[in-house]
Amino acid sequence: MKTLVCTTPGQFDYQEGEHPAPSKNHSILKIKRIGICGTDLHAFEGTQPFFEYPRILGHELAAEFVEGDNAPGFTPGEAVTFIPYFNCGECIACRSGKENCCSSIKVCGVHVHGGMAEYLSVPSYSLIHGEGLTFDELALVEPLAIGAHGVRRADVKPGEFVLVIGAGPIGLGIMEFARIAGGKVIAMDINDQRLNFCKEKLGVEHTINAMNDDVIERLKDITSGDFPTVVIDATGSLKAINNGFQYMAHGARYVLVGLQKNEIVISHPEFHKREATLMSSRNANREDFEHVIRSMKKGLVNPATYITHRVRFEEVKDEFKGWLDPANGVIKAMVEV
């Protein structure tokens, strides 16, 4: 079968790979859609933590079920997606129902080869029924689940202000599920094109350009001087993360969904006097995937909104580098296999 391998930073090569063989407790999928995410872009750039080359990227996937062992209820030809965080099932996190942060987790397309291929073998326990959703929709369940998980970590309550820093695909998903939870969303980014997307496509009332606006004054104005009680970073930018500590209300929760390699810096007195809570949010759980699928089926989220670029699998190598350029306006690139 044909695969696309990121051999070194900045280099893709199409290669012939072995068709996956049936194995115990695993299922074989025929890949139909591949969503391109920040992890893929960072891996290509050489800035993704916990990453080794060469690697087949791709974990935002929709597929047809081909065959499987220990996969009751799944039938050949059925549209499916899956949870791409493969866990041990035995560590303290797994025993606590937090398989998303398993101590020996293997993320598909990061720690093990992913779905930029014609076929893929995955643990059968990771499978999720398509529930009548299209392949495009199913490929967007995973990134939206990350947003849903971050909102669940923040325990967003109806009526409270939620500042989402970063209007990329993950940030947009956070905004969607903060809205669904009843939060009043404030979108912050440095790209006016993305902020306009938040207004026009997601109905976000309040937007702030962190480069051009006086952020503190804008937040005071929007929140009547209270500041947001939830701040969620989806940038992975060290500067943005450090700045985020300034934006919290007293008693606020700050959730880091974005990931970067360096050390964050806070003023302990400023953090302490707020009795603030700092949390990370990693990956997502099955209940987040199910919440996303229910929300899609109810029409609360329109996944098609996110897809701005579409290519065939054979075109990815030539097109991929262009998706890194903000001038190209990429929200979500979708690959058809």
Side-chain angles (χ1 to χ4, degrees):
M1 66 174 181
K2 181 178 286 187
T3 65
L4 181 59
V5 183
C6 188
T7 52
T8 61
Q11 181 62 44
F12 273 124
D13 288 312
Y14 288 103
Q15 299 179 4
E16 289 297 317
E18 292 292 327
H19 190 291
S23 60
K24 185 177 180 180
N25 294 325
H26 279 67
S27 294
I28 297 173
L29 307 180
K30 182 178 182 181
I31 304 300
K32 303 296 289 186
R33 296 288 188 277
I34 308 163
I36 304 300
C37 77
T39 299
D40 302 321
L41 298 172
H42 296 153
F44 183 77
E45 287 180 312
T47 58
Q48 176 64 28
F50 317 126
F51 198 85
E52 296 179 357
Y53 303 86
R55 181 68 71 218
I56 299 174
L57 307 181
H59 64 268
E60 297 181 2
L61 303 169
E64 287 182 355
F65 181 83
V66 177
E67 61 177 308
D69 177 64
N70 196 17
F74 289 89
T75 58
E78 177 184 352
V80 299
T81 187
F82 68 98
I83 302 172
Y85 328 122
F86 306 147
N87 60 81
C88 72
E90 299 176 354
C91 71
I92 179 63
C94 290
R95 298 198 310 271
S96 303
K98 298 180 179 180
E99 298 90 349
N100 60 298
C101 60
C102 168
S103 62
S104 57
I105 200 166
K106 297 289 186 289
V107 178
C108 181
V110 179
H111 308 108
V112 296
H113 289 318
M116 287 194 180
E118 293 178 280
Y119 293 88
L120 181 68
S121 175
V122 303
S124 296
Y125 67 74
S126 69
L127 293 172
I128 294 180
H129 290 286
E131 301 282 352
L133 298 180
T134 67
F135 288 126
D136 283 351
E137 291 170 330
L138 288 171
L140 286 164
V141 170
E142 190 271 343
L144 289 171
I146 290 176
H149 186 72
V151 169
R152 184 158 63 90
R153 289 280 285 156
D155 193 22
V156 171
K157 298 291 195 297
E160 66 179 336
F161 283 102
V162 181
L163 172 62
V164 181
I165 307 172
I170 298 300
L172 296 176
I174 294 168
M175 294 176 204
E176 294 267 53
F177 284 93
R179 170 183 55 78
I180 290 170
K184 295 185 285 189
V185 176
I186 307 167
M188 183 187 295
D189 203 282
I190 59 174
N191 185 318
D192 279 330
Q193 186 177 8
R194 289 199 167 186
L195 291 173
N196 288 335
F197 184 94
C198 295
K199 290 180 183 178
E200 296 169 5
K201 301 296 185 181
L202 304 189
V204 174
E205 182 178 357
H206 305 290
T207 62
I208 299 174
N209 187 312
M211 291 285 285
N212 302 328
D213 297 336
D214 185 325
V215 176
I216 297 294
E217 289 304 313
R218 289 279 290 122
L219 288 173
K220 283 182 180 178
D221 181 59
I222 293 167
T223 65
S224 300
D226 288 338
F227 288 90
T229 47
V230 175
V231 178
I232 306 179
D233 177 82
T235 67
S237 160
L238 182 61
K239 182 178 180 181
I241 290 171
N242 286 338
N243 285 342
F245 289 96
Q246 305 174 51
Y247 308 145
M248 293 187 294
H250 282 243
R253 292 93 74 200
Y254 189 10
V255 181
L256 304 182
V257 177
L259 175 66
Q260 50 80 43
K261 291 182 175 181
N262 298 305
E263 295 178 350
I264 59 175
V265 178
I266 65 172
S267 165
H268 190 189
E270 289 296 318
F271 186 76
H272 190 87
K273 76 180 185 182
R274 288 171 169 80
E275 197 179 54
T277 301
L278 176 63
M279 291 177 278
S280 61
S281 178
R282 188 180 187 192
N283 301 325
N285 299 101
R286 180 171 289 271
E287 63 186 285
D288 302 308
F289 279 73
E290 292 172 347
H291 179 33
V292 169
I293 290 173
R294 286 195 303 270
S295 298
M296 286 183 178
K297 292 179 70 174
K298 291 177 181 178
L300 299 175
V301 178
N302 180 11
T305 301
Y306 295 84
I307 301 172
T308 54
H309 294 65
R310 188 183 295 275
V311 300
R312 297 291 302 168
F313 184 56
E314 297 79 12
E315 301 170 318
V316 175
K317 180 178 178 179
D318 293 332
E319 297 290 332
F320 196 94
K321 188 175 181 179
W323 298 335
L324 294 163
D325 186 349
N328 289 327
V330 178
I331 299 296
K332 178 62 63 178
M334 186 66 68
V335 180
E336 298 181 356
V337 182

